[in-house]
Amino acid sequence: MGTNGSTMLEPLRQGLPPTDPSGVAGSASCALPARYEAVGGARKFTRTTLERWELGDRFDDVALVVSELVTNALRHALPDDPPREFQDPPVRLHLMRWTSRLVCAVRDPSRESPVAGEAADSAESGRGLFLVECVSDSWGWHPSPVPLGELPSGPLFGKVVWALFRLPEKTK
């Protein structure tokens, strides 16, 4: 999924409320260090956030997706020798909740689009985006927004890879 600007974002737009922040029922974000141990921290952050939103029953699926997206960002999106000028850790996890949708998004500094590979049957890795596609309702990516006042050609704008989960309607 996600080969050009309009198709990359379309599944994220479908059925979602406007991007007006007042329409979001909840959002949480955390910076992740450029270490593989950050995956465990991302899972813990996800558990705490989902429990606060009373969505603890969705933890297993959401945590699998978060783990895969964060692992991919750490493995494929970071330079081998990260520049010292990173103000914040280069990977960031965002969780956003609407009444009927939950979005997990991971921002990283790479401009390269994520590619769902085909792993050999005996391979121990290479199935991350396939798992994301199987567990979430949709996924995609888009270039990271340019900070206000910055030029769009800067090296650290990167991308956001997201996965969307439909939430059941609450009965009263």
Side-chain angles (χ1 to χ4, degrees):
M1 180 177 293
T3 57
N4 68 47
S6 62
T7 59
M8 287 185 287
L9 297 175
E10 194 54 38
L12 185 57
R13 290 183 184 135
Q14 291 175 359
L16 286 176
T19 56
D20 174 14
S22 65
V24 176
S27 67
S29 177
C30 72
L32 301 168
R35 297 188 311 268
Y36 287 112
E37 294 82 18
V39 177
R43 290 173 65 90
K44 184 176 180 182
F45 174 81
T46 299
R47 179 181 297 280
T48 302
T49 302
L50 293 180
E51 287 175 356
R52 186 174 65 240
W53 292 344
E54 298 179 4
L55 295 173
D57 59 324
R58 298 303 304 263
F59 174 74
D60 290 339
D61 289 344
V62 175
L64 173 65
V65 166
V66 164
S67 295
E68 294 300 335
L69 295 182
V70 170
T71 298
N72 283 351
L74 295 171
R75 181 175 291 158
H76 302 293
L78 297 180
D80 292 332
D81 187 21
R84 296 257 183 242
E85 64 265 14
F86 279 134
Q87 296 282 326
D88 288 329
V91 176
R92 192 159 193 89
L93 168 63
H94 303 272
L95 300 172
M96 294 154 285
R97 176 182 174 233
W98 287 265
T99 304
S100 62
R101 302 278 194 259
L102 172 70
V103 174
C104 305
V106 175
R107 187 183 73 203
D108 66 53
S110 173
R111 294 179 184 209
E112 297 295 318
S113 64
V115 177
E118 291 190 28
D121 289 343
S122 61
E124 293 183 14
S125 65
R127 294 179 188 82
L129 291 176
F130 174 75
L131 291 172
V132 169
E133 186 170 321
C134 289
V135 174
S136 67
D137 291 299
S138 63
W139 74 275
W141 70 279
H142 60 83
S144 208
V146 177
L148 217 51
E150 299 282 337
L151 296 175
S153 60
L156 301 177
F157 296 118
K159 68 178 173 301
V160 175
V161 182
W162 54 264
L164 181 141
F165 295 87
R166 289 187 182 98
L167 300 175
E169 292 189 33
K170 300 274 183 182
T171 56
K172 294 183 181 184

